[in-house]
Amino acid sequence: MKIRHNIIILTAAICSCNNPSIPQQKRDVKQSEHPIDGEVAISQQQIDTAPTSHTANNVKATTAIRFNEFVVSIQGMAIFDPEKMDQQQRDTVEIDAEVGESIEGSYISILNDQISDLKVEQRYETSVTIMNEGPHCDLTDWKHFNSDWKSLKQNRSGLFFSEEYTDQDYRSFPSVSMDELRQKVKEHCGEEWFKLLAKVKSPTEYPSSVSISRYFLRITCRRKDNGKEVTKFIIIKTPMGC
């Protein structure tokens, strides 16, 4: 497999490398925004008119993903290129969350009365990123930690509550030697990035970091008209480093 790397420049206004608790802060904010059990599930009209990015009035973003059998609505997550979601998707779709956004703590609705036995599962993947204040080099095509699939809970309104992860979950990664990591960084990021790791003793020691790079949703159901089982995958890429 050909390995590629991504070097992205983010300004200090977007995030701070000295604040590793940013993901946790965002999860805490999202938790306070959840509708309680018993609230009415989002309607088709709401999906058609819901904003797909942040607005000046701070309206919560809703991302709607249209498959042939149903529509998936993720409340509280903005994505890049939302126009891509206007078209019907195939069995697997990959989307890019905006900086600071993730699926964690969001509510998910599945709209279609022609399906049964609905099940939504979630898992995540971590990758290594090398940071240099603003720029960072992401090894998203190298080694990963992949969590197990976990079924999402559904409230009385039929909304699924997406899984949230701890700081320890974010740092989970398979055992690798620093020599192996340095070699990969030198090969795919360059000599200057390689030099940044001269005194680093683990993949989680700055300027190296391990974080969640992708979330996965697996949605399974059965068509009422012919009993056929349907499986769809949504892959959500999230920006790393800072």
Side-chain angles (χ1 to χ4, degrees), residues 165-201:
Y165 301 111
T166 67
D167 290 340
Q168 182 59 48
D169 292 327
Y170 270 71
R171 293 191 296 267
S172 298
F173 200 72
S175 178
V176 296
S177 70
M178 284 308 300
D179 286 342
E180 184 180 10
L181 174 57
R182 291 190 187 97
Q183 182 59 37
K184 289 297 180 182
V185 170
K186 184 176 183 179
E187 178 182 351
H188 300 291
C189 301
E191 185 71 26
E192 294 303 313
W193 297 88
F194 169 77
K195 292 178 181 178
L196 294 175
L197 301 183
K199 297 181 179 180
V200 174
K201 297 180 180 178

Side-chain angles (χ1 to χ4, degrees), residues 13-235:
I14 294 176
C15 61
S16 168
C17 290
N18 295 322
N19 189 0
S21 62
I22 286 178
Q24 184 62 52
Q25 292 173 356
K26 184 174 188 299
R27 293 195 291 272
D28 292 342
V29 171
K30 279 199 170 186
Q31 181 65 42
S32 67
E33 296 174 343
H34 295 326
I36 60 175
D37 286 352
E39 285 195 356
V40 178
I42 188 168
S43 67
Q44 181 63 52
Q45 182 179 5
Q46 286 175 305
I47 281 185
D48 291 338
T49 60
T52 52
S53 61
H54 295 303
T55 69
N57 295 324
N58 293 321
V59 177
K60 287 199 304 178
T62 295
T63 294
I65 305 168
R66 292 170 170 81
F67 295 102
N68 181 46
E69 291 81 5
F70 49 75
V71 175
V72 180
S73 177
I74 304 174
Q75 302 177 26
M77 186 188 74
I79 64 171
F80 289 106
D81 193 18
E83 293 79 11
K84 176 183 175 182
M85 296 300 102
D86 292 341
Q87 56 187 308
Q88 184 172 293
Q89 306 299 317
R90 297 181 180 274
D91 291 341
T92 299
V93 59
E94 187 171 72
I95 58 181
D96 293 272
E98 286 190 359
V99 174
E101 295 287 293
S102 86
I103 194 175
E104 294 183 46
S106 298
Y107 271 103
I108 302 168
S109 64
I110 313 291
L111 296 180
N112 194 310
D113 58 2
Q114 300 303 312
I115 59 175
S116 63
D117 302 330
L118 182 61
K119 182 178 183 180
V120 181
E121 300 168 280
Q122 180 179 323
R123 74 171 179 87
Y124 70 91
E125 168 192 279
T126 64
S127 301
V128 172
T129 183
I130 311 301
M131 299 176 288
N132 188 13
E133 296 183 356
H136 55 96
C137 182
D138 303 331
L139 301 180
T140 52
D141 288 325
W142 190 44
K143 296 187 177 183
H144 309 283
F145 169 81
N146 291 287
S147 71
D148 294 331
W149 288 104
K150 185 171 182 179
S151 295
L152 301 187
K153 296 180 179 179
Q154 192 174 21
N155 68 9
R156 292 195 300 269
S157 298
L159 298 175
F160 292 90
F161 179 61
S162 61
E163 188 74 7
E164 297 181 276
Y165 301 111
T166 67
D167 290 340
Q168 182 59 48
D169 292 327
Y170 270 71
R171 293 191 296 267
S172 298
F173 200 72
S175 178
V176 296
S177 70
M178 284 308 300
D179 286 342
E180 184 180 10
L181 174 57
R182 291 190 187 97
Q183 182 59 37
K184 289 297 180 182
V185 170
K186 184 176 183 179
E187 178 182 351
H188 300 291
C189 301
E191 185 71 26
E192 294 303 313
W193 297 88
F194 169 77
K195 292 178 181 178
L196 294 175
L197 301 183
K199 297 181 179 180
V200 174
K201 297 180 180 178
S202 81
T204 58
E205 181 182 339
Y206 186 84
S208 179
S209 178
V210 172
S211 186
I212 292 177
S213 52
R214 292 196 297 178
Y215 301 91
F216 300 80
L217 291 177
R218 180 169 64 189
I219 303 167
T220 56
C221 62
R222 194 171 296 278
R223 294 176 60 114
K224 290 181 179 179
D225 57 354
N226 57 19
K228 181 181 177 181
E229 186 175 274
V230 175
T231 302
K232 306 293 183 181
F233 291 92
I234 300 173
I235 304 171

